[in-house]
Amino acid sequence: MFDVDKIRADFPILARKVNNRPLVYFDSGATAQKPWAVIRRSEELMVEYNANIHRGVHHLSGRMTDMYEAARERVRRFIGASQREEVIFTSGATASINLVAYAWSAANLGPGDNVVVSEMEHHSNIVPWQMAAMRHGAELRVLPFDDSGELRMDMLSSLIDSRTRLVAVTEASNTLGTTPDLRPIIDAAHAVGAVVMVDGCQGVVHGGGNVAERGYDFYAFSGHKLYGPTGIGILYGRRDILEAMPPFMGGGDMVDRVTFAKTTYAPLPLKYEAGTSNFLGAVTLAEAIDYVEAVGMAAIEQHEQELLRLATERLMAIDGLRIYGQASSKCPIVSFTVDGTHPYDVGMILDKLGIAIRTGHHCAEPVMTHYGVTGMCRASIGMYNTREEVEALAQGVERAVGMLR
Ligand SMILES: Cc1ncc(COP(=O)(O)O)c(C=O)c1O
């Protein structure tokens, strides 16, 4: 039974005040708050177990190495990868995507090839591909979305061709909330021998993952949006693809033998984990996964979808308010502008009321360009939000509009 009050008690920050008002946090899409289980685990690791992994014969190093590898196994199960070698710890989704954009592209992208990205991607799933395309003389193609926020699947056949090497697409848009049906994209890419990089940053929090079953070739997400710590993220890659790729960063842990004449590399997954990994972050991320799974992904989803419906309905009733992204399947993100107001001013007034939303281009400038705006307000919903908070948000927006117009 999903009990939002019980969940809220697990998140100490929610009890604090901002500007003398109870904090109302609608910025979980940027980073989610942390439950006690995650906070305590992080502290416990530093108090009781800190020691570098993979390198020591001493007790603590062995313990931490075991916990780190157990965390990898935890992530593997959570995202539905078939082998532990396919789960690479990185510093975050951006690092994961850049790793692929360098290492995979070095072996697979050449002049005349093309990479397809969707118009609704976060900059993290655009710019690395733009840079890779420039380095290798390839073309960057864009799969557009329509005004309701649905990807234009009808254009797949004109964009994906025999020279397409990779398609980069999000599981859930951080601006429009759209959770596109990736099946036709994956099928079209695989039909021409291309691979698919799925950005799971928002999706993994809202029913994403299942990488093997869904046929993802690469998958990236960050721990901090999944109620875990910052500085840790995941790259999933299909084993055969990762094995055929050259290493990315060189250094400790990613090698087998080093001589000045020649170096051989460690097998997966360490081949892509050069240097001291964020082992504390990895183990704490596993704790966050335990937490969300104990609450129940399906129950969280149901609660958040109910709040999404309520927020959409309530905000739409405000005169001159426009919601961007009304796709048939959405994660709980509502982006909007209100006629005669600037998003930044709305955000500032809400902040005075203790309500945290995000304003600006949300690292998705092409989405802003699509609608001809420079920025939007964005309320992103987490498992701990309530109906009362949605009402407070709507009343806050009404008040802001009253003051600004
Ligand atoms: C859809 C999406 N992709 C990628 C990122 C980048 O994540 P990070 O900054 O944690 O690397 C974000 C962060 O907001 C996001 O929402």
Side-chain angles (χ1 to χ4, degrees), residues 29-30 91-95 97 120-125 170 172-174 199-203 221-225 362-363 378:
S91 63
T94 302
I97 298 170
M120 63 173 70
E121 297 309 302
H122 186 282
H123 294 165
S124 297
N125 207 21
T170 192
S173 157
N174 70 314
D199 176 353
C201 266
Q202 302 294 336
F221 70 91
S222 296
H224 67 98
K225 294 178 201 284
H362 313 305
C363 293
R378 181 186 75 178

Side-chain angles (χ1 to χ4, degrees), residues 80-241:
S82 45
Q83 305 173 41
R84 60 177 285 282
E85 288 79 3
E86 298 179 321
V87 177
I88 316 278
F89 284 114
T90 67
S91 63
T94 302
S96 302
I97 298 170
N98 275 279
L99 188 164
V100 178
Y102 275 86
W104 175 88
S105 299
N108 293 285
L109 208 55
D113 291 338
N114 66 73
V115 169
V116 179
V117 302
S118 99
E119 190 188 7
M120 63 173 70
E121 297 309 302
H122 186 282
H123 294 165
S124 297
N125 207 21
I126 298 174
V127 183
W129 300 116
Q130 211 164 30
M131 290 162 68
M134 270 171 64
R135 274 196 310 278
H136 299 287
E139 181 194 352
L140 191 75
R141 295 183 177 174
V142 182
L143 173 65
F145 60 84
D146 65 22
D147 285 352
S148 70
E150 304 276 9
L151 282 178
R152 292 281 310 275
M153 300 299 184
D154 59 303
M155 294 190 62
L156 280 177
S157 56
S158 58
L159 287 166
I160 296 180
D161 60 22
S162 62
R163 298 306 303 269
T164 304
R165 296 286 174 256
L166 182 139
V167 180
V169 66
T170 192
E171 215 175 29
S173 157
N174 70 314
T175 310
L176 304 171
T178 311
T179 51
D181 175 12
L182 297 183
R183 194 72 255 165
I185 299 176
I186 293 168
D187 287 348
H190 287 173
V192 296
V195 296
V196 182
M197 164 97 238
V198 177
D199 176 353
C201 266
Q202 302 294 336
V204 75
V205 193
H206 308 289
N210 278 321
V211 294
E213 199 180 301
R214 294 179 184 173
Y216 300 169
D217 300 300
F218 294 111
Y219 189 62
F221 70 91
S222 296
H224 67 98
K225 294 178 201 284
L226 191 61
Y227 307 96
T230 44
I232 188 75
I234 296 297
L235 170 65
Y236 159 83
R238 240 177 57 204
R239 186 173 186 164
D240 56 323
I241 305 176

Side-chain angles (χ1 to χ4, degrees), residues 237-313:
R238 240 177 57 204
R239 186 173 186 164
D240 56 323
I241 305 176
L242 288 176
E243 272 175 348
M245 282 159 50
F248 175 42
M249 290 201 285
D253 257 16
M254 55 76 72
V255 288
D256 172 28
R257 289 226 52 213
V258 179
T259 67
F260 286 113
K262 182 176 167 36
T263 290
T264 53
Y265 304 113
L268 292 171
L270 297 189
K271 174 180 167 187
Y272 290 110
E273 293 183 2
T276 297
S277 296
N278 182 0
F279 51 85
L280 299 176
V283 178
T284 313
L285 171 60
E287 190 71 37
I289 292 173
D290 283 347
Y291 181 84
V292 292
E293 288 208 324
V295 175
M297 297 299 280
I300 296 172
E301 189 65 11
Q302 199 186 347
H303 171 70
E304 290 174 344
Q305 284 294 321
E306 191 190 318
L307 295 188
L308 172 67
R309 273 191 297 278
L310 186 66
T312 305
E313 199 181 289

Side-chain angles (χ1 to χ4, degrees), residues 26-43:
F26 277 119
D27 200 17
S28 299
T31 198
Q33 299 301 349
K34 319 303 172 201
W36 273 122
V38 165
I39 297 164
R40 292 200 172 116
R41 184 66 166 148
S42 170
E43 185 181 300

Side-chain angles (χ1 to χ4, degrees), residues 241-401:
I241 305 176
L242 288 176
E243 272 175 348
M245 282 159 50
F248 175 42
M249 290 201 285
D253 257 16
M254 55 76 72
V255 288
D256 172 28
R257 289 226 52 213
V258 179
T259 67
F260 286 113
K262 182 176 167 36
T263 290
T264 53
Y265 304 113
L268 292 171
L270 297 189
K271 174 180 167 187
Y272 290 110
E273 293 183 2
T276 297
S277 296
N278 182 0
F279 51 85
L280 299 176
V283 178
T284 313
L285 171 60
E287 190 71 37
I289 292 173
D290 283 347
Y291 181 84
V292 292
E293 288 208 324
V295 175
M297 297 299 280
I300 296 172
E301 189 65 11
Q302 199 186 347
H303 171 70
E304 290 174 344
Q305 284 294 321
E306 191 190 318
L307 295 188
L308 172 67
R309 273 191 297 278
L310 186 66
T312 305
E313 199 181 289
R314 193 59 185 78
L315 289 170
M316 286 268 274
I318 297 172
D319 179 44
L321 187 144
R322 175 174 182 190
I323 290 180
Y324 300 89
Q326 301 267 27
S328 55
S329 174
K330 277 187 70 172
C331 71
I333 283 177
V334 191
S335 292
F336 60 93
T337 55
V338 194
D339 288 349
T341 69
H342 192 282
Y344 185 75
D345 295 330
V346 175
M348 290 287 282
I349 293 173
L350 289 176
D351 178 58
K352 295 280 171 278
L353 302 172
I355 303 170
I357 63 157
R358 190 143 286 251
T359 59
H361 57 53
H362 313 305
C363 293
E365 277 200 69
V367 175
M368 305 300 125
T369 306
H370 179 108
Y371 291 108
V373 297
T374 53
M376 297 174 185
C377 298
R378 181 186 75 178
S380 50
I381 293 166
M383 69 165 96
Y384 33 60
N385 289 122
T386 65
R387 296 177 70 87
E388 293 73 29
E389 287 182 321
V390 170
E391 183 55 32
L393 169 71
Q395 286 183 14
V397 174
E398 280 165 350
R399 191 157 158 193
V401 173

